[in-house]
Each structure stands twice: as structure tokens, then as C-alpha cells.
Amino acid sequence: MVTLLLDQTRLEVVLSVTERALSFHKGNVIVERSTITKVQLTDDAWTWLRGVPSPGTYVRGVVAMGSWKSAGGTDFALVRRRRASVVIDLEGHDQYERLILTTRHGLALVKALRLDVSDEASNVADLAAAAPKKKPRVRKAPAPLPAT
């Protein structure tokens, strides 16, 4: 599973040894927060893949890891089976146009990106759990209708 670290200036996708080998990527993927334009949650990350793996590993329906080149640009994918995923659109990043990541922490990432976080990188799931909870909105009961 992908580990996401977030601080005030950047999002870091921490890759395990296996993920590095299968994605042919030497280090972690680092994205400046200012380059993130949109974050979308999806149940089927396979529909978001575009182009061909170059370099990367692709086994249909099982795993897609690495860089994906297409006419629209280069994406980075870490997709496993049919699990919940997050799609992060980037603008102005020097290497990628989009990140497609299989993670259980997609909702936590969306919440954490809305927060002002510390200078030290923290796990996205921990940040979202520590966020202050909003009070539920109490709606007033409708006024009774006049008798006719």
C-alpha cells in the first residue's frame, strides 16, 4: 500500500522496495502542493490509465506501476487490483501531469490537503484523524401550516 506524507509545501509518495522495482523509479515521488490542481476519489483506477507504460510494469487487472506516456503527457501510476484509488491532477510539475494511486487513505488525503499542516512531513491518515471535527448542522423544524 502507498504511504503518503504531507507537509506545508509538498506531498511525498513513499515507495516500498517492491514498488520501486516494479515502477522502475529510483526514489519517492515528490509533488509540490502548489502544483496540485484537483484530487478525485475513484473505485476503478484502471479507467484513468492513459497511454503505455514507459518504463513500468503492467499486468492487466492485477498491477500497473510506473510512468505512463500518452499524447496528454506523462502520468505516474501505482494501481493494484480493483481497490479504492485517488487521482491527483498536476499543473506545472516537471515530470508528471497526473498521479493515479491505489490507497485506502484517499479521503484522508483530501481532508489533509485542506488543512494547514506543520513543516514536518506527517502521514496523511494521521493528519486527517487529528483534524477538528465539524459540528453537525442542526436544521430548524419547518413552521406549522396555518389551519384553513
Side-chain angles (χ1 to χ4, degrees), residues 14-81:
V14 180
L15 304 177
S16 68
V17 174
T18 305
E19 291 166 341
R20 287 181 188 185
L22 292 174
S23 66
F24 297 94
H25 204 273
K26 291 181 182 177
N28 297 335
V29 178
I30 298 173
V31 176
E32 297 296 320
R33 282 181 76 167
S34 61
T35 63
I36 298 173
T37 57
K38 188 181 346 176
V39 179
Q40 301 174 69
L41 303 176
T42 182
D43 287 332
D44 188 9
W46 295 95
T47 60
W48 290 90
L49 292 175
R50 58 185 180 181
V52 294
S54 177
T57 302
Y58 176 68
V59 178
R60 186 177 179 191
V62 178
V63 68
M65 291 188 185
S67 297
W68 289 71
K69 295 193 182 204
S70 70
T74 304
D75 300 340
F76 184 78
L78 279 176
V79 179
R80 290 187 187 99
R81 304 211 181 262

Side-chain angles (χ1 to χ4, degrees), residues 4-8 10-11 33 108-109 111-113 115-118 120-133:
L4 303 171
L5 299 178
L6 183 70
D7 65 16
Q8 283 185 345
R10 66 185 191 165
L11 170 68
R33 282 181 76 167
L109 173 63
K111 288 180 182 177
L113 284 171
L115 300 173
D116 290 326
V117 296
S118 68
E120 186 178 318
S122 301
N123 192 326
V124 167
D126 297 338
L127 287 171
K133 304 284 184 192

